[in-house]
Structure formats: structure tokens, C-alpha cells
Amino acid sequence: MSKFMAEAALLFDLDGTMLMTDPIHMSVFADLLAPRGLTVDEAFYMKHIHGRLNVDFFAEFLPDEPEPEGLSDLKEYEFRRRLPRPYPAMPGVMAVLETAHDHGWALGVVTNAMRENAEAMLAAIGARRYFDVVVSGEECDQGKPHPAPYREALRLLNIPAHHAIAFEDSPAGVRSAAAAGIVTVGIRSSLDDGALRAAGADMTIQDFTDPALGPILQRLTGVDA
């Protein structure tokens, strides 16, 4: 049985949602994949890599890679090595976390990043202390866009889907949260409103300072956020 007794939960993706690390990921992929005949520019990254598990991307584009798990581990090691510490959080996100903490809302991270990366990113922005659970898609039966990671977060927090809000910036993440029955807010850090809504977002915001965020938090929690 869950130890959590909160009545509402906020669930956050990491990359592109709580902090903008996509440029770091893109540069690492570009360096690793160039010798393998793949050119990674921004358009390729956003279309084929953004928000996906490494294993899914490698299966599609590097089906003959002899050691895909080793390549994935190398990629993530290099990402952590290049990640500056401290690192700036997405505008407004720390204030939202503080408000949620003050009101006793449950907080969770739901990411396709491996756990070691997730912990490194949370530490880099100084946000680890806020979160009750961190769910990695790599540790679930299926990662995003499957709803399994979000369902696991709801289970761990003992929160029904209609008492949660998810924040996502990628189509895979939006589809995952929406398929789990969670109200999903798209973050327009890389994609526009139309692309995020097409994936299933209920609404979109530029970042966590967007005035449009307050009303949806108030409707969920009954608290003036």
C-alpha cells in the first residue's frame, strides 16, 4: 500500500520540461552517430530522437549495431559528463514546486531518461528534494509513448488519474500521459501548440511563468496557485 496520502499530484517530464538539455543530448548524439553514417541536426533530432528511448531509436536507425546497450550507456555517460552543475531550471518551475510542496500535493518525475541521468538533472537544478517518486521508462515494461510510466507513478503515489496533471514537451511524453488518463499540459520549449495538441495535450504553456497555468492548477486542487 502506498504511504502517500496527497489528494492531488503534479507529474513532470525532465528534458525540455524542467530544464532545457536537448542541445546537450543533440550534440552527444551527433558526435556518436557521425562515424556510423548518421547526421544529427536539429530537424533529425526533433523528428526521430526527441522524447524516445534510446533502444527504440537504435532499433529503427541502427539495427545492425553490435552493442546497442553499450552505445546507449556511452551516450548517457557523455551526457552526464557534459551537463553543467549547477544548471538553470525552466523559468517558473521552482516556484511551482514550492507551491505544490506548501500545499501538500504529491510530486513525481516521469521520464524516459535512465535513472542515473534523472538524478543528475534533478541535482543540477537543485530540485531533487521536492519529489516523492522518480519513474524511469527504462525500468518499466514499456517506456513513453506507452502509458506504463505514468501508470506506475500514479500507482506509487496512490493518486487517481483525474487528480493529476502531467507536464510534457514531446509527442511521446504527451501521448504517454494522455493515454494514462491524465490532464496533460504541453510545454512549448521545442514544439508549438498545434504539434503538442495533436499529440493529445489538453493545453499548452510557454513555461511555468505562463498565466494560463494558474487556473488549471486551481481546478485540480481547489487551491489558488
Side-chain angles (χ1 to χ4, degrees), residues 12-16 18-19 21 25 53 75-77 79-81 83-85 87 97 108-131 133-139 144:
F12 296 80
D13 176 52
L14 276 170
D15 292 308
M18 292 187 67
L19 66 168
T21 52
H25 286 289
L53 287 173
K75 183 266 163 184
E76 302 310 341
Y77 165 81
F79 165 76
R80 292 191 300 274
R81 190 185 70 81
L83 176 67
R85 296 167 178 80
Y87 196 81
L97 295 179
V109 165
V110 183
T111 177
N112 266 351
M114 64 188 301
R115 182 166 297 275
E116 196 170 359
N117 281 22
E119 296 289 352
M121 285 184 278
L122 287 171
I125 63 173
R128 182 63 182 90
R129 66 185 180 90
Y130 290 102
F131 287 95
V133 299
V134 175
V135 175
S136 169
E138 288 201 337
E139 298 170 3
K144 304 173 188 179

Side-chain angles (χ1 to χ4, degrees), residues 126-165:
R128 182 63 182 90
R129 66 185 180 90
Y130 290 102
F131 287 95
D132 304 302
V133 299
V134 175
V135 175
S136 169
E138 288 201 337
E139 298 170 3
C140 298
D141 290 339
Q142 292 178 274
K144 304 173 188 179
H146 194 275
Y150 275 100
R151 288 174 178 166
E152 176 65 3
L154 294 173
R155 184 190 71 80
L156 291 171
L157 294 171
N158 195 28
I159 292 285
H162 63 281
H163 285 182
I165 296 175

Side-chain angles (χ1 to χ4, degrees), residues 11 13 16-17 23 38 41 45-46 52 60 70 72 88 121 130 137 161 180 185 208 211:
L11 304 175
D13 176 52
T17 298
L38 290 176
D41 57 13
Y45 178 84
M46 293 304 300
R52 299 179 69 187
E60 181 178 356
S72 179
M121 285 184 278
Y130 290 102
V185 178
F208 293 92

Side-chain angles (χ1 to χ4, degrees), residues 14-21 87-95 125 169 187-190 206-209:
L14 276 170
D15 292 308
T17 298
M18 292 187 67
L19 66 168
M20 280 300 296
T21 52
Y87 196 81
M90 186 70 73
V93 70
M94 300 302 288
I125 63 173
D169 72 303
I187 308 297
R188 300 192 301 270
S189 56
S190 300
Q206 184 60 48
D207 58 37
F208 293 92
T209 67

Side-chain angles (χ1 to χ4, degrees), residues 2 9 13 34 36 42 46 62 66 70 82 104 115 139 142 174 179 198 207 220 222:
S2 172
D13 176 52
R36 292 166 170 82
E42 184 175 2
M46 293 304 300
L62 297 173
R82 298 187 192 186
R115 182 166 297 275
E139 298 170 3
Q142 292 178 274
V174 169
D207 58 37
L220 175 76

